[in-house]
Amino acid sequence: MNVSIVIQGGLHQHSLNNLEVYKKMGPVVISCMEGDNLDYIPDKKIPVVTSSREILPYVYNQQNVYYQVLTTFAGLEKVETEFVLKVRSDHSIGSIQPFLDAAKIYPDRYICSNLHFRPDNVFKFHASDKFIMAKTADLLACFRLCKERCENQAILLNSGIYESLETALKYPKGGWGSPVIEYPAEPLIGVAYNLPWGYVGVYPEVLIATSWLTVKGNIVDRSFSKQLMSQNFYIVDMNQCAPYLDKNGVRITQHNWEEIHHIDHL
């Protein structure tokens, strides 16, 4: 399969140590922020793209989502192959074959890992963003829309990805981490707690997933979230990609919330 690997995020030894594995699968692009120590990259022939760390006041950057969007978008612009696999720099996997196999069957879907892919009853449109494989043109369009949403809050706030604060407060502790009323001074799961319209839910995962749905011609409708997700996404169980390392150096997948391992289990 004609595929490139985009290593996104702050430079980390996990991905740098795994370069030979990725290079066997296709061309590699490293995309990071200005200030990351590029001297750590062992292969100087690999293209490196950097983005500025300057964040304007009006840019939405909750959980550093704008940084993620910028670096991913910059890396995707350098890809020349039909397909691309976006990986996080602080994670690594021993095999990307399960992603390749899935892309052959579902070439027009957003193929991702099960890491932090939430069931529909826990969090709608919460697809994993740790490892993403798709057609390059589609993923580039997706992150272009993410970038536009972050840079224009009017677009973001009218994107259809929020839910009411009243609904959010009803989520079980396992679904939202802790009841939001325990943290009145903290930002609330996405947008600031004191937004007058009381809408929440702009995790990076949700922003990216709903942008994907939009560029693929879907109307983001929470009433049909399970149908939209099952028709446009596919999940790869990370246990099939062993050995796996997360940012803490853990060798097996560690899940902090309930997660699903197959798209039919939404």
Side-chain angles (χ1 to χ4, degrees):
M1 178 175 284
N2 194 15
V3 60
S4 297
I5 314 295
V6 171
I7 300 175
Q8 173 271 326
L11 295 181
H12 197 286
Q13 210 58 47
H14 286 167
S15 56
L16 298 182
N17 289 343
N18 206 45
L19 284 178
E20 293 305 315
V21 173
Y22 292 144
K23 285 163 56 180
K24 290 178 182 178
M25 300 298 175
V28 173
V29 176
I30 294 177
S31 187
C32 52
M33 304 301 296
E34 290 178 353
D36 283 329
N37 194 339
L38 303 183
D39 292 335
Y40 284 127
I41 301 176
D43 189 340
K44 303 305 179 184
K45 296 180 181 179
I46 294 177
V48 178
V49 185
T50 60
S51 301
S52 172
R53 290 186 180 275
E54 181 181 358
I55 296 294
L56 298 175
Y58 60 83
V59 171
Y60 179 80
N61 192 38
Q62 184 73 21
Q63 295 186 319
N64 287 329
V65 62
Y66 189 60
Y67 285 152
Q68 178 184 354
V69 168
L70 276 182
T71 50
T72 303
F73 183 74
L76 291 172
E77 284 192 305
K78 297 296 182 181
V79 173
E80 298 179 353
T81 55
E82 181 182 8
F83 285 86
V84 63
L85 174 66
K86 192 279 290 187
V87 304
R88 272 180 52 149
S89 179
D90 59 358
H91 290 53
S92 70
I93 49 179
S95 172
I96 69 169
Q97 192 60 47
F99 286 91
L100 299 175
D101 294 341
K104 292 176 183 177
I105 302 173
Y106 302 107
D108 294 314
R109 293 196 187 190
Y110 176 113
I111 299 167
C112 61
S113 72
N114 60 304
L115 301 174
H116 299 172
F117 199 122
R118 308 304 185 199
D120 185 78
N121 66 331
V122 172
F123 210 122
K124 296 184 184 299
F125 303 122
H126 198 294
S128 177
D129 63 346
K130 303 289 189 297
F131 297 84
I132 307 170
M133 186 168 191
K135 286 184 176 178
T136 303
D138 290 339
L139 201 59
L140 182 63
C142 170
F143 276 87
R144 180 181 289 111
L145 179 56
C146 290
K147 184 171 178 287
E148 292 174 356
R149 284 176 164 177
C150 290
E151 293 173 348
N152 188 327
Q153 291 191 23
I155 297 176
L156 180 66
L157 297 174
N158 289 294
S159 59
I161 65 179
Y162 297 90
E163 59 188 316
S164 69
L165 179 58
E166 180 182 2
T167 300
L169 288 170
K170 295 178 181 178
Y171 275 86
K173 184 174 182 179
W176 283 75
S178 298
V180 293
I181 54 176
E182 291 185 6
Y183 301 95
E186 296 287 333
L188 175 65
I189 317 285
V191 213
Y193 183 84
N194 61 350
L195 277 180
W197 41 84
Y199 281 78
V200 298
V202 191
Y203 273 141
E205 295 90 342
V206 179
L207 173 67
I208 297 168
T210 54
S211 295
W212 173 269
L213 289 170
T214 301
V215 300
K216 295 295 284 185
N218 299 282
I219 297 175
V220 178
D221 187 334
R222 300 179 61 80
S223 302
F224 300 100
S225 54
K226 289 182 68 172
Q227 179 180 344
L228 288 169
M229 296 298 286
S230 64
Q231 292 177 348
N232 290 273
F233 293 78
Y234 185 82
I235 299 173
V236 171
D237 185 348
M238 288 301 292
N239 288 303
Q240 300 174 5
C241 302
Y244 162 75
L245 288 175
D246 70 6
K247 62 183 178 181
N248 297 315
V250 179
R251 292 185 176 274
I252 59 173
T253 50
Q254 299 290 312
H255 310 312
N256 56 354
W257 286 355
E258 179 187 2
E259 293 171 1
I260 58 177
H261 294 73
H262 195 284
I263 197 66
D264 292 339
H265 299 162
L266 268 172

